[in-house]
Amino acid sequence: MSDYQLKAVVQIAGGPGVLIREFTFAPGESTPWHRHSQMTDRCYGLEGRVTLERRDQPALEIGPGE
């Protein structure tokens, strides 16, 4: 997949114009800074808390259902 590791990444759905993957982060895991030219990330929490850091916005902590 890439040169970094996460606890788990599962593809939920995929087709023309859409890719849905579920990322499971262990404490301390993260993805490196990156950008997409033809897609937009949408994030939601299933359990626990995770901090989303974006270049142009303040950090945002999300939890289940957020």
Side-chain angles (χ1 to χ4, degrees):
M1 181 177 114
S2 63
D3 59 351
Y4 60 93
Q5 291 190 312
L6 300 176
K7 186 171 182 179
V9 179
V10 176
Q11 184 169 322
I12 305 297
V18 67
L19 174 62
I20 301 171
R21 294 188 296 181
E22 182 179 285
F23 287 64
T24 303
F25 292 87
E29 288 184 329
S30 64
T31 57
W33 283 110
H34 63 282
R35 82 167 79 177
H36 302 287
S37 61
Q38 297 183 352
M39 72 174 94
T40 301
D41 286 336
R42 300 284 185 234
C43 302
Y44 60 91
L46 292 175
E47 64 181 65
R49 310 273 320 154
V50 66
T51 302
L52 304 174
E53 294 180 350
R54 297 169 283 185
R55 290 186 195 271
D56 301 356
Q57 300 173 22
L60 174 67
E61 185 177 285
I62 64 170
E66 299 178 309

